[in-house]
Amino acid sequence: GEAFRLGISDGSLRPDLDVDLCMSQYATSLRAVLHRALVTGQPWFDVGADEQVRHFLDLYSHAIRNNEGLRS
């Protein structure tokens, strides 16, 4: 949780994030993506495991970032 709190504090993450909920959803979602991509080996729409994981991480990081930018 400290990484999320620091991100909120320095302005790189959205100030309205609920840290506990955000961490829980991140862990649960990442686990599901990794299971699908790496354990079952079932691609989504012919997309490989590496691309599935990269796409999830990119999508999640864009969802929580602060579009206003870092504070000085």
Side-chain angles (χ1 to χ4, degrees):
E2 190 61 23
F4 286 95
R5 285 182 189 81
L6 287 172
I8 292 168
S9 177
D10 76 8
S12 59
L13 297 182
R14 293 177 20 199
D16 63 334
L17 289 179
D18 177 318
V19 173
D20 292 330
L21 186 57
C22 192
M23 286 182 354
S24 174
Q25 290 178 342
Y26 175 76
T28 301
S29 299
L30 181 58
R31 181 175 176 229
V33 168
L34 291 173
H35 179 77
R36 174 73 185 242
L38 304 175
V39 176
T40 67
Q42 297 174 1
W44 288 308
F45 306 105
D46 296 324
V47 175
D50 289 348
E51 183 60 25
Q52 289 178 49
V53 174
R54 261 194 304 276
H55 182 266
F56 167 76
L57 294 173
D58 184 56
L59 185 66
Y60 192 86
S61 66
H62 278 81
I64 66 172
R65 78 176 176 206
N66 183 1
N67 291 323
E68 301 300 316
L70 296 174
R71 291 185 205 126
S72 312

